[in-house]
Amino acid sequence: MNSKSGIIMKIVSIFESGLFIKILSVFITGLWIAGLILANIYIIILAILLLIALSSVLYIHRDNLNEIFQKDSDIIVEDERTKLINEKAATMTLGTLIAVVIYAGIIIVALRSSYPQFLQAGYTLFIVALFCFILYFSSRAYYTRKY
């Protein structure tokens, strides 16, 4: 009985390893692409089911994800300076993206008399920019409370 539980624990540890999770996420992405290219709903459903399974594993182990993905390496992958640089770059990228989307939407809506077929695209860009603002401020509020 003890050897069976050891085998089961070994199998569970394989499924919780960082390499397996990375390989599975690449496989799921490949399924999405193949399902969309082939227009096969069964492939897309399989990708959704695997994504749900992967999400549940990641949610269960959300507290130790850094350990899962970095336990094979003894070197320091990131330091505080690298994290700060990544945060500043991400904030600048988001701000630039939102500004470009808003300006493109303004230009498309301003040209509605010449190109009325693109009016819906202009409004869609405004909605995307609004969604980005909401996502940014809600995630900022969440992380402010968390840390």
Side-chain angles (χ1 to χ4, degrees):
M1 212 52 169
N2 197 9
S3 65
K4 283 185 178 182
S5 66
I7 293 172
I8 291 173
M9 292 305 289
K10 203 174 243 189
I11 291 172
V12 168
S13 70
I14 289 172
F15 286 114
E16 294 173 353
S17 72
L19 180 62
F20 181 77
I21 292 173
K22 290 175 188 176
I23 292 171
L24 185 61
S25 65
V26 168
F27 181 70
I28 291 171
T29 303
L31 282 176
W32 278 111
I33 293 170
L36 291 173
I37 290 174
L38 299 174
N40 189 337
I41 191 68
Y42 298 113
I43 295 175
I44 294 173
I45 290 173
L46 178 64
I48 290 172
L49 292 175
L50 287 174
L51 184 64
I52 291 170
L54 179 64
S55 299
S56 64
V57 169
L58 291 176
Y59 182 75
I60 290 169
H61 299 288
R62 68 188 176 276
D63 294 332
N64 58 354
L65 285 179
N66 284 339
E67 295 168 11
I68 289 174
F69 289 112
Q70 295 177 358
K71 72 178 173 185
D72 299 332
S73 167
D74 290 334
I75 9 177
I76 297 174
V77 178
E78 278 190 50
D79 61 350
E80 291 177 8
R81 181 178 179 271
T82 306
K83 286 183 180 181
L84 180 66
I85 291 170
N86 288 340
E87 289 171 6
K88 288 189 177 285
T91 304
M92 179 60 76
T93 303
L94 180 66
T96 305
L97 177 68
I98 290 174
V100 168
V101 167
I102 288 173
Y103 290 137
I106 289 172
I107 290 170
I108 290 173
V109 170
L111 295 173
R112 67 181 172 266
S113 60
S114 300
Y115 302 102
Q117 67 271 23
F118 296 128
L119 186 61
Q120 188 68 30
Y123 290 136
T124 303
L125 290 175
F126 286 138
I127 291 171
V128 167
L130 180 66
F131 175 73
C132 285
F133 275 127
I134 291 170
L135 181 64
Y136 173 73
F137 287 118
S138 61
S139 62
R140 184 163 172 88
Y142 170 76
Y143 285 114
T144 301
R145 275 186 269 130
K146 184 174 181 177
Y147 298 113

